[in-house]
Amino acid sequence: MSSWNIRVLRKAGADADEVSYQIHEVFYDEDGSIQSWTLAPVTVYGETLAELREEIRHFLHACRRPVLEEREVDGRPVLVADDGDDPINPGHYFEFMDRASVATDYVYQFLGSHPLIKKEPSLCALYDKAEAALAELYQEAGRLEYDRNAD
């Protein structure tokens, strides 16, 4: 069974220093290799505000994945992942820990303290997992920071 998703493609412009980023649909073979992609970028569209918001969420999710770049290999175009866009500096570890802490506070404020959490055990159980996952993100970033400084 093949699949598809939307991905960010980096495209070279007419000038050597000109670059743009666009969202395209990318189609995969059963083994996960890229089969094809749309020539034109896709646009954000929704028939309701909720649909538009969900579409934007998908676009933001595409930005978390490695950027793809079209290159020519053996005379045919292929997409190649490029992880080199975002260099990591020492401050990123602390920044990530801080953001995980803030996210945990926001999630508690808007969900953990909601009256349904007290009344619905299934929601409470899921909330507890979400809160634990955010705490684990914080701890893992701290461990990576510690290991980096221990070397």
Side-chain angles (χ1 to χ4, degrees):
M1 168 195 252
S2 58
S3 62
W4 69 276
N5 61 14
I6 56 173
R7 297 289 297 271
V8 176
L9 270 63
R10 179 179 41 240
K11 296 191 173 188
D15 296 332
D17 60 344
E18 194 177 300
V19 173
S20 67
Y21 294 84
Q22 303 170 346
I23 303 284
H24 288 257
E25 292 177 342
V26 177
F27 303 89
Y28 304 88
D29 284 329
E30 288 80 13
D31 65 1
S33 61
I34 295 174
Q35 176 186 22
S36 63
W37 57 95
T38 56
L39 293 176
V42 295
T43 59
V44 180
Y45 173 82
E47 291 183 4
T48 66
L49 183 57
E51 286 179 5
L52 180 65
R53 189 174 21 254
E54 185 67 11
E55 188 75 6
I56 291 169
R57 189 179 69 79
H58 288 294
F59 274 53
L60 290 171
H61 181 74
C63 292
R64 291 197 314 255
R65 301 183 58 121
V67 172
L68 300 173
E69 185 171 17
E70 189 175 300
R71 295 195 185 144
E72 195 163 307
V73 175
D74 297 330
R76 65 181 187 90
V78 297
L79 290 181
V80 178
D82 179 17
D83 294 325
D85 279 354
D86 297 320
I88 301 298
N89 70 50
H92 281 127
Y93 294 92
F94 178 78
E95 178 186 54
F96 189 88
M97 291 170 62
D98 181 61
R99 289 183 181 182
S101 176
V102 169
T104 302
D105 290 344
Y106 278 142
V107 169
Y108 173 76
Q109 181 181 356
F110 293 107
L111 297 175
S113 62
H114 195 280
L116 276 177
I117 291 294
K118 295 177 184 173
K119 300 288 183 189
E120 295 292 340
S122 62
L123 292 177
C124 184
L126 289 170
Y127 171 79
D128 288 344
K129 288 180 184 178
E131 187 177 49
L134 286 170
E136 189 176 341
L137 272 174
Y138 178 92
Q139 292 296 328
E140 180 63 12
R143 185 192 65 74
L144 291 169
E145 167 72 352
Y146 178 81
D147 290 349
R148 188 183 64 77
N149 286 325
D151 293 338

